[in-house]
Amino acid sequence: MPISPLLAPLVPLLAAIPVIAGQTGTLQGSNVDVVGLQKDLSGRMTVPVRVQEKGPFRFLVDTGAQNTVLSTDLAARLAMPTKSRATLVGVAGRQQVDAVSVDQLDIGRRSYYGLFAPLLEGQNIGADGILGIDSLQGQRVLIDFDKRLMAIGDAKELGGNRGFEIVVTARRRSGQLIVTNANIDGISTNVVIDTGAYDTIGNRALQNAISKRHKGNEKTSIRSVTGQEIEADIGLGRNLTMGGISINNMRIAYADAPAFEVLELSDKPAILLGMRELQVFRRIAIDFSTRKVMFDLPRDVANKLDSGSSPIWTRSVG
């Protein structure tokens, strides 16, 4: 269906795929940790995080962001001095920002040390910070939408692949996991799972390919957590297939997002798959160590798959 630009929200997306080096955080603790999830007004997920043994503070969970980010307000409250500058690449452009060293960051019982964190305005983030994949590498992140919980641990501690009807292998690039065997309306498409955005964003290569099948002329603006904005065209992906999944009627915002260039996906059809589509599942798990993305289907659908009555799951997104 056509999407009115008045109904298409600004999309805070992809806080930081950095053009910075030397970012590694040291993890202590190996037990599974479970923290509660909350949703913000944009449908994104936040979790409680402690910084420098203070807090907890509300951080956005963003698997599309390379770096953990702090708000300028939080850094000021904690009297954290600026250490250097960093270039962040967001969905709407590149930006030079200040950065700080985070001696300790705690998620539940897990502690990370020596993080390099760029700073962004809290009003643009919509939270006290962003939990990026630098804090999640080498682990599995399990997001349970039904129970509103997030678990962090290794694959074995979190039960391996048991309970997931769909398991997709991804390719790693710049720390991100990219699903390459996806298809939108007959077009081979790369997919990045992005929990930091509500809507899904597509690149111009996908728009050009898909326009030969059906056109859209609605416009909207996408706002990055850097505060920058970029114009986008609204289109409809009638069918996304990925493994045994089929999702219908996806709203896609097409834009010249620099993030695709950083991921070397500018010339290949690609999307950043947002929460609007992801939350139709009961659970998803992103395993950075084994490069697997797993999906847990609604119970009624999973029962049909187990009985062999339906080889593929289809869900229309509102």
Side-chain angles (χ1 to χ4, degrees):
M1 70 182 75
I3 304 296
S4 166
L6 296 178
L7 298 179
L10 297 180
V11 188
L13 180 71
L14 208 65
I17 293 182
V19 188
I20 53 181
Q23 167 64 25
T24 57
T26 303
L27 165 69
Q28 184 181 77
S30 60
N31 295 327
V32 171
D33 217 345
V34 179
V35 294
L37 291 170
Q38 294 183 331
K39 284 188 179 181
D40 68 6
L41 295 178
S42 299
R44 304 170 304 167
M45 300 177 301
T46 62
V47 294
V49 173
R50 291 177 61 84
V51 181
Q52 312 289 63
E53 301 186 275
K54 301 291 194 330
F57 305 104
R58 193 169 57 92
F59 273 52
L60 172 69
V61 181
D62 191 352
T63 58
Q66 183 80 16
N67 279 80
T68 292
V69 173
L70 269 59
S71 71
T72 53
D73 290 343
L74 179 57
R77 287 167 60 187
L78 299 179
M80 301 174 71
T82 300
K83 292 294 185 180
S84 61
R85 299 277 287 173
T87 300
L88 297 188
V89 181
V91 71
R94 291 170 169 80
Q95 187 175 38
Q96 284 280 322
V97 299
D98 291 329
V100 298
S101 293
V102 181
D103 295 333
Q104 181 174 341
L105 183 144
D106 303 309
I107 309 167
R109 294 169 297 172
R110 289 177 173 262
S111 297
Y112 300 82
Y113 301 95
L115 291 171
F116 178 76
L119 301 180
L120 292 172
E121 294 293 331
Q123 63 184 5
N124 294 327
I125 300 174
D128 296 311
I130 296 169
L131 189 64
I133 63 174
D134 58 340
S135 299
L136 305 172
Q137 289 295 338
Q139 301 169 85
R140 173 176 293 187
V141 180
L142 191 156
I143 300 169
D144 191 317
F145 294 107
D146 283 356
K147 297 179 181 178
R148 303 176 79 91
L149 296 172
M150 181 178 78
I152 303 171
D154 65 32
K156 183 178 180 180
E157 289 170 336
L158 288 173
N161 296 347
R162 294 192 305 274
F164 292 97
E165 286 78 24
I166 305 297
V167 179
V168 180
T169 300
R171 177 166 51 88
R172 190 187 304 279
R173 178 172 293 167
S174 299
Q176 302 288 342
L177 295 185
I178 302 172
V179 178
T180 57
N181 63 342
N183 187 289
I184 297 179
D185 295 354
I187 300 162
S188 179
T189 304
N190 296 278
V191 176
V192 177
I193 306 296
D194 193 339
T195 61
Y198 179 71
D199 281 342
T200 291
I201 289 190
N203 64 3
R204 296 298 186 186
L206 176 61
Q207 181 182 18
N208 292 336
I210 214 167
S211 65
K212 299 174 182 177
R213 292 165 171 77
H214 41 83
K215 299 183 181 297
N217 56 8
E218 301 290 347
K219 302 285 187 181
T220 190
S221 294
I222 299 172
R223 179 169 178 166
S224 170
V225 290
T226 61
Q228 298 163 304
E229 293 189 16
I230 190 172
E231 289 189 356
D233 301 316
I234 294 294
L236 186 67
R238 290 194 170 92
N239 181 261
L240 164 67
T241 59
M242 188 167 49
I245 304 166
S246 181
I247 301 177
N248 299 331
N249 301 327
M250 292 173 50
R251 182 175 63 188
I252 304 174
Y254 296 106
D256 294 312
F260 289 114
E261 180 182 349
V262 172
L263 291 173
E264 300 179 16
L265 293 175
S266 294
D267 300 327
K268 306 169 186 176
I271 60 170
L272 306 167
L273 187 65
M275 287 295 297
R276 184 171 183 264
E277 280 68 42
L278 292 173
Q279 64 189 358
V280 301
F281 301 101
R282 287 180 58 211
R283 300 183 303 162
I284 63 170
I286 304 168
D287 196 316
F288 291 96
S289 61
T290 63
R291 298 184 294 109
K292 303 289 186 185
V293 182
M294 288 145 283
F295 302 88
D296 191 4
L297 307 181
R299 288 187 179 86
D300 57 339
V301 178
N303 290 337
K304 291 180 181 178
L305 286 175
D306 289 339
S307 68
S309 62
S310 175
I312 195 167
W313 176 58
T314 300
R315 171 61 62 91
S316 294
V317 180

